[in-house]
Amino acid sequence: MTRTVTGPTDHVVVVGAGLAGLSAALHLLGAGRRVTVVERDPRPGGRAGRLELGGYLIDTGPTVLTMPEIADEAFAAVGAALRDRVDLVPLRPAYRARFADGSTLDVHSDAEAMEAEIERFAGGADAAGYRRLRHWLGRLYRTERDRFLDADFDSPLQLLTPDLLRLAALGGFGRWEARIARHLSDERLRRVFSFQALYAGVPPERALAAYAVIAFMDTVAGVYFPRGGMHALPRAMAGAAAEAGAAFRYGERVTGLERGGERITAVVTEHARIPCDAVVLTPDLPVAYRLLGRAPRRPARLTHAPSAVVLHAGCDRTWPELAHHTLSFGHAWRRTFRELTRTGELMSDPSLLITRPTTTDPSLAPPGRHLHYVLAPCPNTEIGPGPADWAALAPRYRDGLLRELDRRGLAGIASAIETERLVTPADWSVREHAAGTPFSAAHTFAQTGPFRPRNLVRGTANAVLAGCGTTPGVGVPPVLLSGKLAAARITGRPRPRAARRGGTPAAQGARR
């Protein structure tokens, strides 16, 4: 039995209208609570925001949507449905991988299509290995889904269940890269099923194999894109919450919390004082702890994941070899992760994620134009260049990135750009993301499961945390789950599991 907030919880203030806050709001509303959402920006979204630039509609945060049934659970809490509010397009391929030797591989979530593609790319032995890998990834996900991902922890002792033994038997406490290598001999293929370790903030040779569940989400469950851009999801969630009775206060920054003993009695903004019975805090951990006036004691300081430079480029042309999502790998691999996580150097031979959302939704750009997002991982500001350094570094880095893209086949990209926005760790720092990274605390063993910063903070009886820094972690599905878990801490009600029963169309679509 996990701890819940005691005392009255009739009116809950949710600080932040990002995916975590909106998920919490919907689940709270479904449990009969009155909800007020306070957001510093003029619209919902948080990290999944929207930038309008010269006729281009730019997603400022995540570009990959997996496991839509988790979002559907939040809509279902208020009697709504994801399919009625968001037009989700399955991406085929989910990714296109382009390697430094000139080879390409389309990554399909459909088993037969992927097996055929791997046989073409690497031969029959690795195609058979893929079948075994896919089966293992599915078993890993089913083992982790309820007990480890969709679960609150009050003590490491809560791990002591039969599911822990099943996870151990699956090799979940081994190393991610080594587990993939059991099935695939081609080094290029191994990258496709382990690059996701970057989201966890740990090199694949050191990351727990349990985190290969992210590869399940990316390569098996399917990748989707909402028409209107990724921002369409938080916009729809906010709409559903408002219709269910939530009050939204946009353009208000929270400046403090009033206390009466261990209870938060009001949320104070630049413009108002909002009395409350409980509060859900979704800002990054240092901001949340500062508002609470206390932070949990940990044996070691938090380690943060690498950051990223993102170039948003609106172009007058595009390149046909690009898919919606294209992974452009350099020659280097282990050295790249060492630079990102240990030495703090910029990638000497970068691996990049290039997203062209206008492949799927041309309305995001003016007629005949295309959007390209180029994400280049980089060290966070704790071990790499600090925010002040990026002010001078950014123009040179941008020019070097464009030269590298030109060498990799995007000929003339610099001259094709009509409008652009470069986002660096300095910008993430301005947004109050710790260590200048949008990916928060890394998923090291000491920051995983019950060892991750918990969503309840000692000394405060009625405040709950949500977002990527707390349980269960980083990525769109975990962040949505964090909001659901925060709501459960307040309501104490069993959480709905329509997706598990296979009842939602989104879940059914994810399995096809």
Side-chain angles (χ1 to χ4, degrees):
M1 190 73 177
T2 55
R3 291 169 53 205
T4 56
V5 169
T6 58
T9 60
D10 297 331
H11 178 213
V12 184
V13 174
V14 177
V15 178
L19 292 174
L22 294 169
S23 174
L26 287 166
H27 285 286
L28 288 164
L29 290 162
R33 300 315 192 264
R34 184 163 65 92
V35 175
T36 300
V37 183
V38 184
E39 169 57 49
R40 65 182 176 181
D41 290 335
R43 57 173 60 138
R47 284 170 169 85
R50 163 63 56 83
L51 172 66
E52 298 179 13
L53 200 62
Y56 293 89
L57 304 179
I58 297 170
D59 284 320
T60 60
T63 61
V64 178
L65 177 62
T66 61
M67 310 302 295
E69 62 267 32
I70 295 175
D72 199 35
E73 287 184 8
F75 285 100
V78 295
L82 174 67
R83 70 182 185 277
D84 295 334
R85 295 171 179 268
V86 180
D87 181 10
L88 284 185
V89 182
L91 296 186
R92 300 187 178 98
Y95 296 94
R96 176 166 294 150
R98 296 175 60 84
F99 299 93
D101 63 3
S103 60
T104 62
L105 172 81
D106 280 353
V107 179
H108 299 281
S109 53
D110 177 79
E112 291 183 4
M114 189 60 185
E115 188 177 332
E117 177 71 352
I118 289 178
E119 185 163 4
R120 175 199 67 80
F121 182 81
D126 271 335
Y130 163 73
R131 286 197 299 270
R132 295 191 302 272
L133 174 61
R134 184 183 177 98
H135 177 69
W136 178 75
L137 289 171
R139 291 178 64 199
L140 190 70
Y141 175 74
R142 289 188 294 274
T143 299
E144 294 185 35
R145 173 62 165 94
D146 292 339
R147 187 65 67 178
F148 302 102
L149 293 174
D150 193 2
D152 279 315
F153 290 100
D154 294 319
S155 165
L157 295 177
Q158 288 176 252
L159 285 175
L160 301 178
T161 69
D163 284 321
L164 184 69
L165 297 178
R166 294 187 189 100
L167 185 59
L170 286 170
F173 297 105
R175 299 302 170 191
W176 185 338
E177 186 177 77
R179 196 73 200 189
I180 299 300
R182 286 189 175 199
H183 303 284
L184 302 173
S185 61
D186 191 293
E187 189 269 342
R188 297 166 301 172
L189 278 178
R190 294 179 191 174
R191 294 190 189 188
V192 169
F193 292 94
S194 63
F195 80 90
Q196 300 89 350
L198 181 62
Y199 305 150
V202 184
E205 73 268 17
R206 292 195 290 118
L208 288 177
Y211 277 104
V213 71
I214 309 173
F216 170 86
M217 296 176 184
D218 268 8
T219 66
V220 177
V223 176
Y224 296 80
F225 185 73
R227 291 199 190 277
M230 286 289 288
H231 182 66
L233 177 59
R235 193 167 63 243
M237 294 175 73
E243 290 174 21
F248 282 85
R249 302 177 70 114
Y250 292 114
E252 290 196 43
R253 180 183 292 272
V254 171
T255 58
L257 302 173
E258 288 186 6
R259 279 181 172 269
E262 289 196 344
R263 296 189 70 84
I264 305 300
T265 57
V267 173
V268 180
T269 76
E270 298 162 312
H271 309 297
R273 175 185 178 274
I274 309 168
C276 65
D277 298 310
V279 62
V280 175
L281 298 171
T282 71
D284 216 12
L285 291 177
V287 178
Y289 294 150
R290 186 172 71 243
L291 288 171
L292 289 170
R294 60 203 65 199
R297 292 189 296 272
R298 294 183 61 87
R301 67 195 297 264
L302 283 176
T303 299
H304 290 89
S307 185
V309 173
V310 183
L311 175 63
H312 301 289
C315 299
D316 63 11
R317 58 186 176 276
T318 191
W319 294 264
E321 59 267 35
L322 295 177
H324 186 114
H325 295 298
T326 300
L327 295 162
S328 177
F329 291 106
H331 286 285
W333 187 239
R334 292 201 174 195
R335 186 177 79 229
T336 293
F337 278 94
R338 186 166 60 251
E339 290 166 341
L340 292 173
T341 63
R342 292 194 171 183
T343 66
E345 302 167 89
L346 298 176
M347 289 185 293
S348 54
D349 184 14
S351 289
L352 309 169
L353 172 62
I354 305 166
T355 297
R356 184 180 62 183
T358 43
T359 303
T360 306
D361 187 354
S363 71
L364 297 172
R369 301 300 195 259
H370 288 273
L371 262 176
H372 303 86
Y373 309 148
V374 183
L375 185 150
C378 69
N380 64 47
T381 57
E382 288 179 333
I383 64 168
D389 301 319
W390 274 104
L393 181 59
R396 299 197 306 275
Y397 190 89
R398 176 257 186 202
D399 292 345
L401 184 60
L402 291 176
R403 286 193 298 271
E404 185 64 29
L405 290 168
D406 195 283
R407 283 194 294 270
R408 295 189 185 188
L410 275 62
I413 184 171
S415 61
I417 295 175
E418 293 184 325
T419 188
E420 66 182 277
R421 178 67 57 87
L422 187 74
V423 181
T424 74
D427 299 292
W428 304 122
S429 294
V430 168
R431 295 286 294 174
E432 298 184 289
H433 297 326
T437 174
F439 303 118
S440 195
H443 286 271
T444 60
F445 180 80
Q447 296 175 181
T448 293
F451 308 112
R452 196 162 181 81
R454 295 180 192 165
N455 54 10
L456 292 180
V457 179
R458 290 187 185 278
T460 304
N462 62 338
V464 189
L465 307 183
C468 56
T470 185
T471 305
V474 178
V476 172
V479 163
L480 290 169
L481 285 173
S482 79
K484 177 185 174 184
L485 294 170
R489 287 287 200 184
I490 292 170
T491 66
R493 287 178 47 164
R495 300 182 299 277
R497 291 303 312 277
R500 183 171 137 195
R501 297 190 298 272
T504 67
Q508 294 164 4
R511 287 194 294 271
R512 282 197 289 268

